[in-house]
Amino acid sequence: MPMSIFSNQLIIRFLLLFSCSLATQTSFASEDPRTIVETAAKEMTSRLITDKDKVSNQEYYLEQLVNELLLPVVDHKFMAKRVLGKHWKKTSSSQKQQFTEAFKHKVIRTYAGAFKAFNGETIQFEDAKYNKSGKKASVKSAIQRSGAPAINVTYKLYSKNDTWLTYDVVIEGVSLVKSFRDQLSQSIDQHGLAQAISALASEYKTETPLLVMAGGTWEPYISNQLPANGLAVNIVTEVLSRSGYRVEMKFMPWQRVAEGLASGEVDISVGSWYNETRAKETQFTDAYLTNDLMIIKRKNDPLSFNSIAEFKQGVDKKGYRLGVFKDFGYGNEFNDVAPLLSLNYYKYCSQMMRDVASKNTDLALLDRWTAMNSMQNKKNIADHLEITSTPLISRGLHVTISHKNKQHKQIAEAFNHTLKKMKADGSYKKLLQQHNYPL
């Protein structure tokens, strides 16, 4: 049955279900394909309902939603190879890359358009059927429509590295991959391979707004050596992605971040503590984490306090040397404490803690999780140190947005709104747990 005879409404319903059924996380890999499909459908339809305003008002939000939820479990590279078919071997490496990227955006844009047709249809699934090796599976389903015949859709998945990935979908006997291949073949016949690929790449470029985000290494919050570039980067990227933005993360020293914000070359600083000067120069979001700044001392040091006032009394005229980071905005409370101490400035947490252990400085002021992480990784140093039980200062960690970006207020509002929703639906807490953040 040729694809052209299907009504547009039927195709839309199909694409909607396809998107819903695949929008799942790899954590479901150990489950059977049917469970993956049904669980994912609930997740996607839930997001369509809760994010209804964004779906209606933000032009590229749906594309970002597809990219976030669909692409992780669709092997679009394998699909692209199958769509290109016999022509795959004839293409250069750069053409393969260009085609695969364009095909990904074609898939994203096609499904994004289909989301708008969601109308609460009932979907019935059958148990998965496997091939002899158990490495491939198909899941049949039927979209039940009021006053119209059901639409039969079959999902084809295969197991790769213990993860089920989708490589094709068949609606009423017609393969999605074959339909795309037929469209491309017609273009190749008319214009040639190279021009057909270029035309596809030109037509299917992502138009989701891109924000350049920057920050300096600050483990375990920000680091290109950590999963998802660290907890802070992961949270901010996820919140912005759900708000309808793409994010490009760049690592650079704080001074360069500040210069980039001032010039407009950087849209966002991933983590900042509030101060009035920065608030005049950039747009602050709500805090997405709280940094408890603790005093780290040698175990034999009798210093103890339950408040900042007690800390002042404990260090006054004692000649304490305190290790801090240069250019950190510790805030007004710290400015009141600083004159009672001799400040030693550091670039690296590890050196600061080594110096406390070796008596080259007496105390260190560090974020609790940063200190815990550093001590866990350096047991020989940790044996000589302890973290005081009461935070000296607590600072909210914010995103700051360059005033050069004309949408800075809208970006901040979208960030704050999405952050609240993620805290309410539990996805924020899941990110904290994934990074083993102490709750």
Side-chain angles (χ1 to χ4, degrees), residues 33 128-131 135-139 155-158 164:
K129 293 184 178 180
Y130 301 85
N131 67 351
K135 295 295 184 180
K136 288 187 177 182
S138 62
V139 178
Y155 308 93
K156 294 187 175 182
L157 306 91
Y158 76 107
W164 285 104

Side-chain angles (χ1 to χ4, degrees), residues 322-327 330 334 343-347 352:
L322 176 66
V324 295
F325 291 117
K326 190 175 183 179
D327 298 326
Y330 290 101
F334 175 78
L343 301 183
N344 294 337
Y345 293 101
Y346 291 86
K347 288 185 177 180
M352 191 187 302

Side-chain angles (χ1 to χ4, degrees), residues 220-221 223-231 233-234 434-435:
Y221 295 97
S223 173
N224 57 8
Q225 301 300 311
L226 293 172
N229 290 326
L231 174 61
V233 177
N234 198 177
Q434 287 172 12
H435 290 265

Side-chain angles (χ1 to χ4, degrees), residues 225-271:
Q225 301 300 311
L226 293 172
N229 290 326
L231 174 61
V233 177
N234 198 177
I235 290 175
V236 175
T237 300
E238 183 71 12
V239 172
L240 289 171
S241 294
R242 291 194 180 197
S243 300
Y245 299 94
R246 289 181 299 128
V247 177
E248 179 185 354
M249 178 64 192
K250 295 185 177 181
F251 291 88
M252 60 184 70
W254 164 246
Q255 186 58 40
R256 283 185 57 199
V257 176
E259 292 171 356
L261 289 170
S263 68
E265 293 181 10
V266 171
D267 295 299
I268 288 175
S269 170
V270 67

Side-chain angles (χ1 to χ4, degrees), residues 133-308:
S133 68
K135 295 295 184 180
K136 288 187 177 182
S138 62
V139 178
K140 290 184 177 181
S141 68
I143 309 173
Q144 303 299 326
R145 299 184 297 166
S146 178
I151 302 172
N152 297 307
V153 182
T154 301
Y155 308 93
K156 294 187 175 182
L157 306 91
Y158 76 107
S159 179
K160 180 180 180 181
N161 299 326
D162 198 34
T163 299
W164 285 104
L165 296 173
T166 297
Y167 66 92
D168 198 4
V169 182
V170 178
I171 173 172
E172 296 291 349
V174 178
S175 160
L176 177 70
V177 168
K178 184 179 183 302
S179 298
F180 282 167
R181 185 191 302 136
D182 291 344
Q183 294 172 21
L184 181 66
S185 295
Q186 184 177 2
S187 179
I188 292 173
D189 291 342
Q190 292 177 351
H191 308 292
L193 179 59
Q195 191 171 340
I197 292 175
S198 296
L200 186 71
S202 178
E203 182 178 0
Y204 291 100
K205 294 179 180 177
T206 180
E207 297 185 40
T208 306
L210 174 67
L211 299 175
V212 176
M213 183 167 70
T217 298
W218 179 29
E219 295 185 358
Y221 295 97
I222 307 170
S223 173
N224 57 8
Q225 301 300 311
L226 293 172
N229 290 326
L231 174 61
V233 177
N234 198 177
I235 290 175
V236 175
T237 300
E238 183 71 12
V239 172
L240 289 171
S241 294
R242 291 194 180 197
S243 300
Y245 299 94
R246 289 181 299 128
V247 177
E248 179 185 354
M249 178 64 192
K250 295 185 177 181
F251 291 88
M252 60 184 70
W254 164 246
Q255 186 58 40
R256 283 185 57 199
V257 176
E259 292 171 356
L261 289 170
S263 68
E265 293 181 10
V266 171
D267 295 299
I268 288 175
S269 170
V270 67
S272 298
W273 294 331
Y274 182 88
N275 67 47
E276 293 181 359
T277 301
R278 289 179 187 168
K280 293 177 182 178
E281 299 169 348
T282 59
Q283 179 76 43
F284 272 76
T285 67
D286 293 342
Y288 62 90
L289 284 170
T290 298
N291 297 124
D292 289 329
L293 303 184
M294 316 298 292
I295 291 294
I296 289 81
K297 64 186 185 70
R298 291 183 290 277
K299 287 184 176 179
N300 59 2
D301 189 322
L303 177 65
S304 177
F305 60 92
N306 292 309
S307 66
I308 195 166

